């Protein structure tokens, strides 16, 4: 009689295989694949910006304006034309991609950590702790997000970090509310009650049993949240309380060149198109991730 030996698959290998499966499913969905391509192109452009920019994005070129002082149209030495100061628009858009992605990822990351932390704490412990945290969340949700962001940005000196923190401060509340609801539901499930009866501590239950069930929601919400963050950053920059010139941002590029909307529409259309494309790409990927990771939605498409 021979003994059968079992070799459990390492948890890390299981996670890698699951990530590969999710990426394969995303690639099989045309809209999600389009979103992944757009995100990949923009991330590569942000990383390799110093090497692919055709000109110095801050240089006011003497040959970058017409004889009458108007911006140059696309073509020639300036593929996408120049702005009102004779700076190369393509170079500024490429560098603006880095600005938007840095703020989008940083602000959304802070919002996820803050919102998920508050939601999990309030949902798991409940009682007066949960009541205080959720009432504070409701209070923050009562303020219009854009108005609150404008006030906070106007109080502090705008910079990349300050803008990211301001956006995070107004975007965490939705995450907190969603995670709170899911945590409350999970905390009442039998497997959590069994762990408590077996003497498992709160940290062990949170880390090993609750968080794995919440990761899919956090991932989906985080992906969708980047598009909201990018749009809010562009809005703040357009209103003059976001990223300050001469640092290029898609929002302040539109703000600087809005007076040329009728005579040089590419100065407004191209950065606006970049904002729409990036926000759309993250929304498409986020929607596909929600369909893939949520078992209740499988088979509907």
């Amino acid at each position: 009689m021979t003994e059968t030996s079992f070799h459990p698959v390492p948890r890390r290998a299981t996670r890698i295989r699951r990530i590969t499966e999710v990426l394969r499913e995303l690639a099989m969905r045309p809209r999600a694949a389009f979103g992944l391509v757009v995100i990949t192109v923009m991330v590569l452009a942000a990383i390799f910006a110093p090497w692919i920019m055709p000109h110095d994005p801050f240089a006011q070129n003497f040959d970058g304006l017409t004889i009458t002082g108007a911006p140059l149209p696309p073509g020639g030495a300036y593929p996408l034309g120049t702005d009102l100061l004779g700076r190369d628009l393509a170079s500024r858009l490429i560098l603006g991609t880095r600005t938007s992605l840095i703020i989008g990822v940083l602000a959304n990351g802070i919002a996820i950590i803050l919102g998920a932390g508050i939601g999990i704490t309030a949902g798991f412990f409940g009682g007066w702790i949960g009541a205080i945290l959720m009432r504070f969340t409701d209070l923050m949700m009562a303020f219009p997000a854009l108005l609150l962001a404008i006030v906070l940005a106007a109080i502090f000196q705008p910079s990349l970090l300050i803008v990211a923190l301001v956006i995070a401060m107004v975007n965490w509340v939705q995450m907190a509310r969603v995670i709170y609801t899911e945590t409350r539901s999970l905390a009442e499930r039998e497997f959590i009650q069994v762990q408590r009866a077996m003497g498992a501590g709160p940290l062990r239950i949170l880390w090993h049993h609750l968080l794995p069930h919440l990761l899919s929601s956090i991932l989906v919400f985080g992906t969708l949240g980047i598009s909201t963050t990018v749009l809010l950053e562009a809005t703040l920059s357009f209103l003059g309380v976001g990223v300050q010139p001469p640092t290029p941002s898609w929002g302040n590029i539109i703000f600087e060149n809005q007076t040329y909307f009728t005579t040089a529409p590419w100065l407004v259309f191209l950065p606006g198109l970049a904002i729409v494309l990036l926000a759309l790409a993250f929304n498409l990927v986020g929607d596909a991730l929600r369909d893939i990771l949520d078992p209740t939605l499988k088979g509907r498409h």
Side-chain angles (χ1 to χ4, degrees), residues 122-202:
F124 182 73
F125 292 102
W128 64 271
I129 296 178
I132 292 176
L133 291 176
M134 284 299 99
R135 296 297 77 75
F136 176 67
T137 302
D138 293 339
L139 178 63
M140 293 296 295
M141 291 183 71
F143 290 96
L146 180 58
L147 180 60
L148 181 59
I150 292 174
V151 171
L152 292 175
I155 293 174
F156 302 100
Q157 184 65 30
S159 65
L160 282 177
L161 180 59
I162 293 300
V163 172
L165 290 175
V166 166
I167 295 175
M169 289 300 103
V170 299
N171 274 354
W172 65 268
V173 290
Q174 291 83 4
M175 167 67 79
R177 176 56 66 181
V178 171
I179 297 301
Y180 168 76
T181 303
E182 293 197 15
T183 303
R184 289 291 298 169
S185 176
L186 288 170
E188 298 174 358
R189 300 279 293 275
E190 290 79 3
F191 69 97
I192 297 295
Q193 300 301 328
V194 169
Q195 292 298 321
R196 284 174 170 166
M198 294 175 62

Side-chain angles (χ1 to χ4, degrees), residues 27-47:
M28 293 173 61
R29 298 168 180 255
R31 289 180 294 182
F34 170 76
L36 284 176
V37 170
V38 172
I39 293 171
T40 301
V41 170
M42 290 197 175
V43 169
L44 291 176
I47 294 174

Side-chain angles (χ1 to χ4, degrees), residues 29 44 57 70 83 152 209 249 254 280:
R29 298 168 180 255
L44 291 176
D83 65 2
L152 292 175
H209 301 282
S249 164
I254 296 176
L280 176 63

